[in-house]
Amino acid sequence: MLNYFSIVMLVLFLSACGTSKDAKTGGDAEEKTEEWIQLFNGKDLNDWIVKVHHHDAGVNFGNTFRVEDGIIKVRYDQYEDFNDQFSHLYYKTPFSHFHLKLEYHFTGELQKGAPDYTILNSGVMYHSQDPNTILKEQNWPISIEMQFLAGLGDGKPRPTGNMCSPGTEIVYEGKIYDGHCLNSSSKTYDKDEWVKAELIVLGDSLITHIINGDTVLQYSKPTMGGGVVQGYDSTLWQVGKPLKSGYIALQSEGQPIDFRNIQLKKLD
């Protein structure tokens, strides 16, 4: 088991080195296949659990999440009105200390009836509650989100790799952050552009967001608290409880999006 100091040094090393080359192999030193778990096998969703608002866990309403061409696709062609059917696709196993990598790609048009704020908006949740504990009418999982956004084509900056906190709170720059979402320092990336996202999580201590190789946000001490989430099981609600582990989930908010190359390295 790595101690805290060792893990922090590892995070700083990974962030600084990026894609450093291994002298013997010529490949990426951090890409040794035996250390990475492929969360998505490129063929099916057998290792994943769907939860759609207004539906029970395990019901993939409208075939929202599907696999085509080795990609997890989020689509709404079997919907009518969106009807607040926010959805999440959970990997079957919880994690605590980890380095997650994935690529995402916004496409298509916002589904009819989806809120305006969800245009070109998605994300990956972590330290989420077990999907099987999410009630049928619970709108969001209690979790922390690495939010993904794309530019709106208006020339205004719209960073990605942000933090949002459904039912949670974090510490940023030494104090509890009093907002729901916190912007990163990333560049703006357009729709139809593949973006590489990385998330380094050290239990309930340091969390690092990386976009296309650049560290864009760091914060710490995620806990249960705050607002936004509605319809949850009140017996699970413990304000101030440190979130040291939980499930990882890909998000569906009404905007078509693709995910690929989803892999994870355990850091504990």
Side-chain angles (χ1 to χ4, degrees):
M1 176 77 68
L2 294 173
N3 61 32
Y4 175 78
F5 178 78
S6 297
I7 295 176
V8 171
M9 290 299 98
L10 175 61
V11 171
L12 295 176
F13 173 79
L14 290 173
S15 298
C17 293
T19 56
S20 60
K21 298 297 181 180
D22 183 280
K24 293 182 179 179
T25 64
D28 289 343
E30 61 177 281
E31 297 290 345
K32 296 177 181 178
T33 56
E34 69 271 19
E35 296 180 347
W36 291 89
I37 302 168
Q38 300 299 322
L39 300 189
F40 172 49
N41 62 15
K43 301 176 182 178
D44 54 50
L45 298 177
N46 290 345
D47 292 330
W48 299 76
I49 302 166
V50 178
K51 176 62 179 77
V52 181
H53 187 211
H54 303 320
H55 304 273
D56 292 324
V59 176
N60 189 10
F61 172 80
N63 197 24
T64 303
F65 297 97
R66 61 192 71 168
V67 176
E68 296 176 359
D69 304 320
I71 295 170
I72 294 177
K73 296 186 176 184
V74 176
R75 297 293 186 271
Y76 307 98
D77 50 9
Q78 297 179 31
Y79 281 51
E80 293 181 1
D81 190 81
F82 185 65
N83 191 30
D84 288 339
Q85 290 174 117
F86 303 107
S87 312
H88 296 84
L89 180 67
Y90 297 81
Y91 188 69
K92 63 182 180 181
T93 304
F95 298 99
S96 176
H97 294 62
F98 61 88
H99 183 173
L100 176 71
K101 292 183 179 183
L102 60 82
E103 297 175 40
Y104 72 86
H105 164 266
F106 285 108
T107 188
E109 302 299 327
L110 187 68
Q111 174 63 18
K112 182 181 73 172
D116 290 344
Y117 70 83
T118 64
I119 186 169
L120 297 173
N121 184 343
S122 186
V124 58
M125 326 301 281
Y126 73 93
H127 282 1
S128 171
Q129 67 186 104
D130 184 332
N132 294 302
T133 68
I134 298 176
L135 301 182
K136 186 174 181 178
E137 295 301 327
Q138 181 174 336
N139 57 350
W140 304 99
I142 298 169
S143 57
I144 308 104
E145 176 188 355
M146 183 180 186
Q147 182 193 53
F148 303 146
L149 299 175
L152 297 176
D154 56 6
K156 297 179 181 179
R158 198 174 191 228
T160 189
N162 309 314
M163 185 287 308
C164 294
S165 54
T168 53
E169 294 180 327
I170 58 117
V171 170
Y172 178 65
E173 295 183 339
K175 60 184 180 181
I176 295 176
Y177 182 68
D178 62 2
H180 172 52
C181 291
L182 173 62
N183 281 350
S184 79
S185 62
S186 88
K187 301 174 183 177
T188 299
Y189 296 93
D190 293 330
K191 173 184 171 183
D192 296 319
E193 182 174 359
W194 282 101
V195 179
K196 295 180 179 179
E198 300 178 55
L199 180 63
I200 301 177
V201 178
L202 304 180
D204 66 339
S205 55
L206 183 65
I207 294 96
T208 301
H209 293 195
I210 301 171
I211 296 292
N212 283 347
D214 294 327
T215 296
V216 296
L217 184 62
Q218 286 188 314
Y219 53 92
S220 63
K221 296 182 174 60
T223 58
M224 194 178 296
V228 180
V229 176
Q230 298 175 349
Y232 56 83
D233 180 350
S234 61
T235 64
L236 300 176
W237 187 246
Q238 301 179 54
V239 174
K241 177 183 178 181
L243 296 180
K244 300 181 179 182
S245 65
Y247 289 79
I248 291 169
L250 307 177
Q251 190 177 68
S252 157
E253 290 194 293
Q255 176 72 50
I257 186 171
D258 300 332
F259 297 97
R260 70 183 183 188
N261 297 331
I262 307 167
Q263 54 186 321
L264 179 143
K265 180 193 290 185
K266 293 182 181 179
L267 299 179
D268 57 358

